[in-house]
Amino acid sequence: MSLTYTAGSLVAARGREWVVLPESAADMLVLRPLGGSEDDIAAVFPAFEDVRPAEFAAPSPADLGDQRAAGLLRTALRIGFRSGAGPFRSLASIAVEPRAYQLVPLLMALRQRTVRLLISDDVGIGKTVEAGLIAKELLAQGEATRLAVLCSPALAEQWQGELREKFGIDAELVLASTVSRLERGLELGQSLFDKHPFTIISTDFIKSTRHREDFVRHCPDLVIVDEAHSCVAADDPAQGAASSASNQLRYELLRRISADADRHLLLLTATPHSGKESAFRNLLGLVRPELATLNLETPAGRAKLAEHFVARKRADVRDYLTKEDGLADDSLAERTAFPSDRWTKDEPYKLTPAYRALLDDAIAYAADRVEAAGEQGKREARIAWWSVIALLRSMVSSPAAAAQTLKTRSESATARTAHEADVLGAPVAADSADNDRLEGMDVAPGAAESEDAGARLLELAQRAAQLVGPAEDAKLKALTRHLKNLIADGYHPIVFCRYIPTAEYLAEQLDGKLGKKTKIAAVTGTLSPQQRLERIEQLAAEAAEEADPAVRRVLIATDCLSEGVNLQHHFDAVVHYDLAWNPTRHDQREGRVDRYGQKRDQVRVITMFGDDNGIDGKVLEVLFKKHRQIKKDLGISVSVPDETASGVTDAVVEWLLLHGRQGSQESLFEMDGHQESFDRIEREWSSAAEREKTSRSKYAQRAIHPEEVAREVTAVRAALGGAEEVHGFALEALRDLEALVRDPRDGSGDFTAQVGGTPAGLRDALAATLGNRLVEEDREIPFRTTPAIARGEAALVRTDPAIGAIASYVLDSALDVNAVGPRPARRCGVVTTDAVATRTTLLLVRYRFHLTLPSRTGERQVVAEDARLLAYEGMPARARWLDDEAATALLAARASANTHEQSARNAISRALDSLPELAGHLTEYGTSLAAELDASHRRVRRANEEIVRGLKVVPQEPADVLGVYVYLPPAAPASTVSGAEA
């Protein structure tokens, strides 16, 4: 006869635990996995499948462990929780351990009925994780049911991987290349966004009116917009040119999406302001319409903005939850390992005589073309101008790029008007900070103004082709020297180029020149975004397979990788082979490696420039030195407006055409006719920097005080455990499981382990997470205290898959008294210790709570788990219960004498037999925990009256007693026994 299970009860079936849902019947149970989502719901028929109550069998008095058994079992249990009892419903089920400062946007979000946030933390702080935390929590609570992420096409795959691997959200890619396939799977009249609840949409997708309208009609209730600054632009004439067509399309789309007051909207950008007040206001208007016109000069206006806006520099969060943040002590202090600084150096090179002669002839040709075209009309003049810039930029990039450009027709040559020529030709010179313009911008431009390049251009192309190689290409020779120095110092550099032919040329020329232990790969716009990531992973895998710490990686890349792609785990130095004509582009390149997760304390940056090519020196002098000074003064980067950068480079080219390379030795600020424009640029840029500085201090994050964060961090750690607990657990468990552990005790907390001698079940589990070869060849596996780990390493955090595999093995072996091999944790133990003065019993108890979470989509029933230590002195009938701190302290008690085997069994048998007498206290304690859980949920959601009113927390009875451990004072009989000794 089958048992009858009520809604909310817990059952075990199919090798896991489930919650019984109200839709269940006597002959069919509708179940949701513990910690799972609505998508994981399954129907189980008890008549045909094994279904039983999810309870543990009583501990056996014959299976005694040593003094560490209780601590190991508790940690193994807590690491396995997927629905912890803290104030957040999702933290136990994600595969990333957020930094304390990353909880701030989450706390801000939970105080809003409809979440509207502008997250503007500095580059590399972790905006993707912050957005993912909010999304996962809203989905777990039922406050959101569908999600869309809008991002550039180059970042779509990265977003997909982050959501899947860290947050368990399996999102469908909606790209121009995938739309046709996805639409073939739709039913008649069905929307793509109804069929796929979680989507990542590239910005090129919405350029189609049909797709854009379909998205607006079926838009999910939660939308994340990456690089949100590219969706707005300054609209007042005093602050810049009109918005690009792409920006206008995006802005109109987001304006329509944000018009639904019930839709959650997260806008992410590291550059919300950048000195353009109207663009900033437009961005705020998407968050809340009233913010666009709010008086931010008043305290009330800034307080209103602070509810929706968070913007922090690295310095704000590098050391967090310290006494300097207003806390009583540093017990919760968290230091985030950002690189402390960038080591930067400008490295000049001089052209060889042959290359210098070629460049002089190219400049002479360019001057002649511009002069001749100026007499033919405005259209011809603009075509010639852009063709000349293309020629000069390619010429100073590489012989390969120069040869390609000289033989290719200029894109602007097809223009019918001067304006159209500017539209087609501007991207060649702009090096725009707008990442929407990166795709396709690494193709070598054309300089010929007709289908057949003239004899003069063809002759220049032939001469350029003869200059390949280090003998005549001094720039290549200098790069080889810089890379060898970086490699010798242990660095893995990325070399950034402007054009595809240059990147391919460098990869070919450097092959075999940097040592046998150096792996080289090139990534350019010829590869799709997915292929680029695969190429990088392949390079990292090839280096890792060598199992030699001397192996180095060198990546040659164009700017298709300069924005958004995270490369800090594989590379730690940047070489700017081609000087960009906008310093913001260099910031973007360097930001790929100088970010959270970078293990190097110092990232190296080398900027190469031609000392005598007439262009690089002046761009460096005017744009880069000013940019660096502003960054040094403010501690943040202020984007250079595209029109400012273009104004400088136009002046440089004009001067070069008039005076040639020799005249280029004159300072740019001494150029006749240009001083006034340079003074204007200086004023505008300084003004933008001052506005950015003011806004950073004026709008600093003050909505959530560090004390509030500290309180929730304490609650999370109490429910799930902290870093020290995980570190101690991994070290002890691996040793007990017969791994070869090497702990250098150098203060870092890192250690290594070879697991070849551990049980087969653990080896299989670790191979699945770390790689078969690493385990099969019994290599050393590094365990790091930082979450920033490389391939084949494990992070000492509860969410790391390798730590989860160890915890699962420890827990399973503790529950199975017949398990073969070492069993680090046991469910019972007796320890004679001078840490107690009277007989003390420690209980490891698992509590479960049924939560009713009202939301806009209806009530949601979830189950939370907690593992607690309870301890009492004396006999159960007259138990004197210890407080939580004293109970936890027993885990550190060490045996001071051996315990006689029979005495140990008698003591543990009495403790187990008396458990029914403790039921009343266990129930009372569970009720108090439920009240604490209720209070924590109300606290973090205090502004959401709908949730607070209907919230309900009910403890499940009875609680599960997983472990019983008796501590005896030294006066107890002492005799050596196996299994119960110290």
Side-chain angles (χ1 to χ4, degrees):
M1 178 178 176
S2 63
L3 295 172
T4 300
Y5 299 99
T6 59
S9 60
L10 300 173
V11 298
R14 300 180 182 176
R16 63 190 305 184
E17 296 183 346
W18 308 75
V19 181
V20 178
L21 299 181
E23 296 84 358
S24 298
D27 59 345
M28 184 189 76
L29 299 179
V30 181
L31 310 175
R32 184 181 65 241
L34 187 62
S37 67
E38 302 297 328
D39 294 334
D40 301 319
I41 290 175
V44 174
F45 296 89
F48 304 104
E49 297 188 57
D50 180 28
V51 180
R52 60 187 185 281
E55 298 173 356
F56 289 103
S60 169
D63 189 34
L64 298 179
D66 64 15
Q67 58 198 2
R68 298 168 297 113
L72 289 171
L73 184 58
R74 180 182 75 143
T75 304
L77 181 68
R78 299 210 298 183
I79 289 174
F81 284 166
R82 288 298 170 262
S83 183
F88 309 109
R89 298 284 20 96
S90 61
L91 287 195
S93 63
I94 61 178
V96 61
E97 187 149 318
R99 313 301 289 169
Y101 69 81
Q102 291 175 327
L103 296 178
V104 169
L106 175 59
L107 289 170
M108 293 172 65
L110 293 179
R111 293 184 179 182
Q112 303 177 23
R113 183 182 182 277
T114 300
V115 179
R116 294 292 178 98
L117 288 180
L118 175 56
I119 302 176
S120 300
D121 286 339
D122 203 1
V123 172
I125 281 182
K127 293 183 290 296
T128 303
V129 170
E130 291 170 344
L133 286 171
I134 296 171
K136 185 68 174 179
E137 187 68 19
L138 293 178
L139 292 169
Q141 290 184 25
E143 282 293 321
T145 58
R146 296 186 297 141
L147 164 69
V149 177
L150 283 175
C151 64
S152 78
L155 301 181
E157 283 87 354
Q158 182 167 289
W159 264 100
Q160 184 186 43
E162 291 276 303
L163 291 179
R164 182 179 59 246
E165 295 163 12
K166 293 181 178 177
F167 300 100
I169 300 173
D170 197 4
E172 190 71 48
L173 288 179
V174 183
L175 313 174
S177 58
T178 66
V179 170
S180 297
R181 173 180 59 81
L182 294 174
E183 288 183 334
R184 283 196 296 270
L186 299 178
E187 298 176 5
L188 184 63
Q190 186 180 31
S191 168
L192 185 64
F193 306 102
D194 288 335
K195 181 178 178 63
H196 302 287
F198 308 134
T199 52
I200 297 169
I201 307 166
S202 73
T203 47
D204 61 356
F205 168 83
I206 61 170
K207 292 177 182 177
S208 159
T209 303
R210 179 174 67 86
H211 293 142
R212 189 165 63 250
E213 292 302 316
D214 183 42
F215 178 65
V216 171
R217 284 195 302 271
H218 302 276
C219 185
D221 48 8
L222 170 57
V223 176
I224 298 172
V225 183
D226 195 16
E227 305 296 343
H229 60 273
S230 67
C231 299
V232 295
D235 51 18
D236 51 321
Q239 290 190 333
S243 307
S244 70
S246 294
N247 283 27
Q248 292 288 12
L249 276 175
R250 293 193 201 115
Y251 181 62
E252 178 60 23
L253 173 72
L254 291 190
R255 192 187 61 76
R256 294 171 66 185
I257 289 172
S258 63
D260 184 344
D262 290 330
R263 177 169 290 119
H264 305 297
L265 183 63
L266 305 178
L267 303 180
L268 315 183
T269 173
T271 54
H273 200 283
S274 298
K276 294 185 177 180
E277 184 65 23
S278 62
F280 181 54
R281 290 287 183 165
N282 286 341
L283 206 54
L284 294 181
L286 294 174
V287 179
R288 293 282 185 196
E290 62 270 21
L291 296 181
T293 56
L294 197 65
N295 183 1
L296 299 179
E297 298 302 318
T298 66
R302 293 195 291 272
K304 180 65 176 175
L305 175 63
E307 296 176 6
H308 303 277
F309 182 45
V310 55
R312 297 166 294 181
K313 299 182 294 185
R314 291 186 186 185
D316 299 328
V317 298
R318 189 186 300 276
D319 293 294
Y320 192 54
L321 300 185
T322 66
K323 288 192 287 187
E324 292 184 3
D325 293 314
L327 273 64
D329 54 46
D330 290 337
S331 60
L332 293 175
E334 185 177 79
R335 187 178 193 282
T336 302
F338 297 113
S340 61
D341 197 8
R342 296 178 192 173
W343 178 96
T344 61
K345 190 173 184 181
D346 298 332
E347 290 283 6
Y349 65 89
K350 288 186 179 293
L351 301 171
T352 61
Y355 212 125
R356 192 158 52 240
L358 174 65
L359 181 59
D360 285 339
D361 289 346
I363 293 171
Y365 163 80
D368 292 345
R369 272 301 303 129
V370 169
E371 183 179 359
E375 299 173 357
Q376 295 172 340
K378 192 172 183 180
R379 168 187 169 275
E380 288 75 12
R382 298 311 295 166
I383 291 174
W385 175 255
W386 295 120
S387 300
V388 162
I389 288 184
L391 169 61
L392 295 176
R393 294 209 66 179
S394 296
M395 192 68 69
V396 299
S397 177
S398 71
Q404 180 71 37
T405 293
L406 288 162
K407 293 183 291 185
T408 305
R409 189 183 187 197
S410 170
E411 188 171 355
S412 61
T414 62
R416 290 168 293 182
T417 64
H419 173 72
E420 190 176 344
D422 287 341
V423 170
L424 293 172
V428 173
D431 282 346
S432 171
D434 183 355
N435 67 340
D436 183 52
R437 305 181 197 178
L438 293 179
E439 284 300 307
M441 288 298 103
D442 55 357
V443 175
E449 296 170 35
S450 62
E451 289 291 350
D452 298 320
R456 196 170 173 186
L457 287 183
L458 288 176
E459 186 263 337
L460 291 174
Q462 291 170 357
R463 288 170 60 188
Q466 294 171 2
L467 297 178
V468 299
E472 294 296 344
D473 187 356
K475 186 180 181 184
L476 169 64
K477 186 176 182 180
L479 173 66
T480 305
R481 183 177 71 254
H482 299 320
L483 290 179
K484 285 182 175 179
N485 290 337
L486 287 171
I487 289 168
D489 290 341
Y491 281 84
H492 304 273
I494 303 177
V495 180
F496 276 105
C497 312
R498 182 63 171 82
Y499 300 118
I500 293 171
T502 300
E504 294 175 343
Y505 164 70
L506 292 183
E508 179 183 350
Q509 290 290 324
L510 292 172
D511 187 30
K513 304 294 194 308
L514 301 177
K516 295 180 180 179
K517 293 185 178 182
T518 299
K519 307 290 183 180
I520 301 175
V523 171
T524 69
T526 58
L527 303 175
S528 70
Q530 180 63 29
Q531 290 172 325
R532 296 168 200 168
L533 298 179
E534 290 172 355
R535 177 73 59 84
I536 294 167
E537 288 299 322
Q538 181 182 0
L539 175 62
E542 288 175 357
E545 285 177 3
E546 295 289 332
D548 184 347
V551 172
R552 295 288 172 264
R553 298 179 291 273
V554 175
L555 180 67
I556 315 295
T558 62
D559 284 315
C560 69
L561 286 185
S562 69
E563 180 67 356
V565 179
N566 298 330
L567 302 172
Q568 71 272 27
H569 298 304
H570 302 313
F571 304 97
D572 46 24
V574 171
V575 178
H576 300 291
Y577 189 72
D578 288 333
L579 192 71
W581 283 11
N582 189 326
T584 303
R585 179 64 60 81
H586 280 222
D587 278 343
Q588 292 169 343
R589 292 171 175 178
E590 294 161 19
R592 299 309 93 224
V593 299
D594 187 1
R595 58 194 302 111
Y596 172 62
Q598 174 58 254
K599 289 187 288 186
R600 285 255 184 204
D601 186 55
Q602 186 182 72
V603 170
R604 288 194 182 180
V605 177
I606 293 176
T607 302
M608 298 181 62
F609 71 98
D611 197 32
D612 57 351
N613 66 22
I615 299 175
D616 288 354
K618 287 186 168 45
V619 173
L620 197 66
E621 174 191 359
V622 179
L623 288 177
F624 282 83
K625 290 185 178 178
K626 175 68 175 176
H627 183 69
R628 291 167 182 170
Q629 186 60 47
I630 290 174
K631 187 172 184 178
K632 182 179 179 182
D633 293 342
L634 296 187
I636 57 170
S637 176
V638 176
S639 295
V640 185
D642 289 343
E643 56 271 20
T644 299
S646 297
V648 171
T649 52
D650 283 357
V652 171
V653 174
E654 286 178 18
W655 181 260
L656 187 66
L657 297 182
L658 285 173
H659 301 280
R661 284 188 312 102
Q662 299 308 313
S664 69
Q665 303 307 313
E666 184 180 356
S667 170
L668 194 59
F669 290 104
E670 296 171 3
M671 292 182 182
D672 296 335
H674 292 295
Q675 183 61 49
E676 184 178 342
S677 63
F678 288 140
D679 287 344
R680 177 181 55 79
I681 289 170
E682 173 85 8
R683 289 194 303 271
E684 289 178 356
W685 203 351
S686 297
S687 177
E690 188 58 37
R691 284 195 298 271
E692 183 70 16
K693 181 179 180 180
T694 302
S695 72
R696 285 278 172 166
S697 58
K698 185 185 296 184
Y699 310 138
Q701 196 292 120
R702 298 188 180 93
I704 306 293
H705 193 274
E707 285 185 356
E708 299 174 69
V709 181
R711 185 166 55 235
E712 307 316 331
V713 167
T714 301
V716 169
R717 290 180 181 175
L720 302 177
E724 289 185 9
E725 179 182 338
V726 173
H727 179 273
F729 167 81
L731 202 57
E732 290 191 10
L734 284 168
R735 282 172 173 159
D736 286 356
L737 290 167
E738 300 179 356
L740 180 58
V741 177
R742 291 184 177 87
D743 183 3
R745 300 182 184 276
D746 57 1
S748 68
D750 295 354
F751 62 87
T752 63
Q754 291 174 255
V755 298
T758 62
L762 177 60
R763 294 200 306 272
D764 291 343
L766 291 175
T769 64
L770 297 170
N772 286 322
R773 189 171 177 181
L774 192 67
V775 175
E776 289 174 0
E777 297 180 0
D778 199 18
R779 298 181 187 175
E780 286 191 341
I781 301 170
F783 286 79
R784 310 285 191 194
T785 54
T786 172
I789 56 172
R791 181 188 298 272
E793 297 181 346
L796 289 165
V797 296
R798 65 176 301 277
T799 53
D800 186 90
I803 298 298
I806 297 169
S808 179
Y809 189 87
V810 169
L811 180 59
D812 290 347
S813 64
L815 298 177
D816 183 4
V817 296
N818 298 315
V820 178
R823 298 169 59 222
R826 306 290 178 91
R827 297 182 63 191
C828 292
V830 179
V831 181
T832 298
T833 176
D834 53 14
V836 298
T838 185
R839 175 195 175 103
T840 304
T841 304
L842 179 69
L843 306 177
L844 175 59
V845 185
R846 179 178 67 173
Y847 285 97
R848 287 169 166 177
F849 308 93
H850 296 272
L851 281 74
T852 302
L853 296 176
S855 70
R856 296 179 304 178
T857 59
E859 285 190 352
R860 188 175 182 84
Q861 304 290 333
V862 297
V863 174
E865 298 180 283
D866 201 355
R868 291 293 175 136
L869 294 169
L870 287 76
Y872 66 91
E873 295 178 341
M875 303 304 292
R878 297 183 301 278
R880 295 182 299 278
W881 290 94
L882 306 182
D883 60 28
D884 291 347
E885 186 175 346
T888 303
L890 288 173
L891 295 178
R894 290 295 173 258
S896 56
N898 294 329
T899 309
H900 189 277
E901 182 177 4
Q902 191 56 50
S903 297
R905 290 189 177 178
N906 291 341
I908 200 66
S909 294
R910 286 197 300 271
L912 292 173
D913 292 341
S914 62
L915 284 178
E917 300 178 49
L918 307 175
H921 181 82
L922 297 185
T923 299
E924 182 182 336
Y925 190 86
T927 301
S928 68
L929 289 180
E932 290 177 13
L933 185 57
D934 182 281
S936 71
H937 276 71
R938 294 177 186 276
R939 185 171 64 241
V940 300
R941 298 162 178 80
R942 63 175 181 235
N944 196 332
E945 296 180 2
E946 185 177 325
I947 286 286
V948 170
R949 278 199 307 269
L951 178 68
K952 186 187 300 182
V953 182
V954 178
Q956 172 155 326
E957 299 177 6
D960 295 318
V961 178
L962 271 69
V964 179
Y965 308 90
V966 178
Y967 297 82
L968 301 175
S975 178
T976 303
V977 296
S978 174
E981 60 186 33

